[in-house]
Amino acid sequence: MRFDFIKCHGSGNDFPLIDARAIDLDDATWGGVARALADRAGPVGGDGLLLLTRGDDRHAFGMRMFNADGSEAETCLNGLRCVARAGFEALGIEAASVKLMRSSAEVARDAALASGVYTVRETVGPAEIDTAGWPLRIDRATTIEQVVAPLSSEMAFTAVAMPNPHFVAFVDTIDEATLVALGEKCEAAPDWLPHRANVSFAQVIDSATLFVRTFERGVGLTDSCGSAMAASVVAAGLTGRIAFGTEIAVLNAGGLVRGRAGDDLIVRLSGNTTFEWRGSAEVDAGRSRAGGLTIAGHCDDEIAAWAALADSILQRR
């Protein structure tokens, strides 16, 4: 099968994006396509695969996201912005309701983060703090800055679903080796966490700035995870570190988003959706391999605009 796609990223979280509104494949095949196109050793690479899908009576269009390991995620907020832009351009609109796996989101074109940076605002939630549906099999229904004994006997976590599950720990310094070890413990799908979860370390830089580093379920250590940044904004409010209603700059290894959570746990994120290049590739979904890459064109102005913003972010840390 040959697929046309856009290589894009939201805050450094990069994906091939396929307009799949007229493509009908089963989940197993899409999982194979994701493994092929997202393979970092292959011709494309990415943190996963994004699909722009058909809408319905309530939604202008839909989104699906497959992780690099072929598993499907409930949502991906960095990816949602990219799909939103593709949907806007396909339909000639600038705001929409989007159908997700188990929920909906509102998206709209927003004021640019910087000159030349296409920016989308996404509204999701409310975030869920009852972990029964994860399921998280420990002896309490909610976890707000508490030890999760099977995960760590020392660190305190806040558990938030966006609706994909996240553990957020606030730390003074980010130890990536520890983060990876905890992420891999969740990735193993133990009996107490059979559907796995994302793990983030968050630093409070000041009263309106966070830095977040994430081990993403199905991906591993990633430069950016939109739902993790949303979960961290909620966790900052739940733990009293940053007041609900505050607009927060959420920095990450890939860039930043603007975030705000209300005490109703509705979250608004505004961030980039940068199209880098357009191309096509042959995919053997059964063998999870891609080849025959053809690049139709690069988006040099967008790449340069994002690079300038990213450089300025590095100076803030």
Side-chain angles (χ1 to χ4, degrees):
M1 296 176 285
R2 190 165 192 89
F3 294 94
D4 296 322
F5 59 87
I6 300 167
K7 186 66 188 298
C8 55
H9 77 82
S11 199
N13 208 183
D14 67 321
F15 313 91
L17 187 164
I18 294 173
D19 183 346
R21 290 175 297 162
I23 304 173
D24 291 312
L25 298 175
D26 59 35
D27 293 352
T29 302
W30 277 125
V33 174
R35 288 190 295 273
L37 291 180
D39 183 1
R40 294 290 186 188
V44 181
D47 287 326
L49 171 67
L50 301 175
L51 303 180
L52 171 65
T53 61
R54 291 186 291 268
D56 56 27
D57 292 342
R58 297 190 301 115
H59 305 94
F61 50 85
M63 166 193 164
R64 298 181 73 182
M65 186 274 188
F66 288 84
N67 294 311
D69 68 355
S71 62
E72 186 169 7
E74 292 91 340
T75 190
C76 168
L77 297 185
N78 286 328
L80 173 59
R81 297 196 306 276
C82 295
V83 171
R85 178 178 175 180
F88 293 166
E89 293 184 358
L91 299 176
I93 58 178
E94 290 197 338
S97 293
V98 184
K99 181 180 179 181
L100 307 177
M101 180 197 283
R102 297 178 186 168
S103 59
S104 298
E106 301 299 316
V107 294
R109 182 88 183 260
D110 203 1
L113 290 174
S115 178
V117 177
Y118 192 111
T119 301
V120 170
R121 181 180 68 253
E122 49 199 346
T123 303
V124 296
E128 179 60 66
I129 59 173
D130 182 344
T131 56
W134 288 28
L136 174 57
R137 293 172 179 155
I138 58 175
D139 59 357
R140 57 180 179 263
T142 62
T143 295
I144 299 176
E145 201 151 31
Q146 294 172 281
V147 169
V148 179
L151 182 58
S152 171
S153 61
E154 300 175 354
M155 299 188 70
F157 293 90
T158 297
V160 179
M162 294 303 312
N164 52 340
H166 292 267
F167 290 117
V168 179
F170 289 92
V171 298
D172 293 328
T173 58
I174 291 176
D175 183 332
E176 289 191 355
T178 300
L179 176 58
V180 169
L182 294 172
E184 289 178 343
K185 188 176 289 189
C186 292
E187 193 77 352
D191 290 344
W192 57 273
L193 190 67
H195 295 161
R196 307 177 296 168
N198 305 280
V199 183
S200 293
F201 286 175
Q203 291 174 300
V204 178
I205 305 300
D206 57 40
S207 61
T209 310
L210 294 175
F211 179 81
V212 178
R213 196 82 167 104
T214 301
F215 187 100
E216 188 173 359
R217 179 184 62 173
V219 178
L221 191 65
T222 182
D223 282 349
S224 175
C225 173
S227 57
M229 291 186 287
S232 298
V233 170
V234 172
L238 289 171
T239 61
R241 285 178 168 83
I242 299 179
F244 283 122
T246 303
E247 181 155 303
I248 301 171
V250 188
L251 313 182
N252 54 70
L256 91 161
V257 298
R258 295 189 298 253
R260 184 173 73 249
D263 55 13
D264 58 0
L265 304 189
I266 297 292
V267 184
R268 293 169 179 83
L269 290 184
S270 289
N272 76 298
T273 166
T274 299
F275 287 0
E276 296 182 303
W277 50 275
R278 299 172 187 267
S280 65
E282 291 287 343
V283 174
D284 182 336
R287 300 172 66 196
S288 300
R289 293 185 180 178
L293 176 66
T294 299
I295 297 177
H298 288 87
C299 306
D300 293 332
D301 290 346
E302 292 194 41
I303 293 169
W306 177 255
L309 177 59
D311 285 345
S312 70
I313 293 164
L314 288 175
Q315 298 172 13
R316 297 177 60 180
R317 289 196 59 209

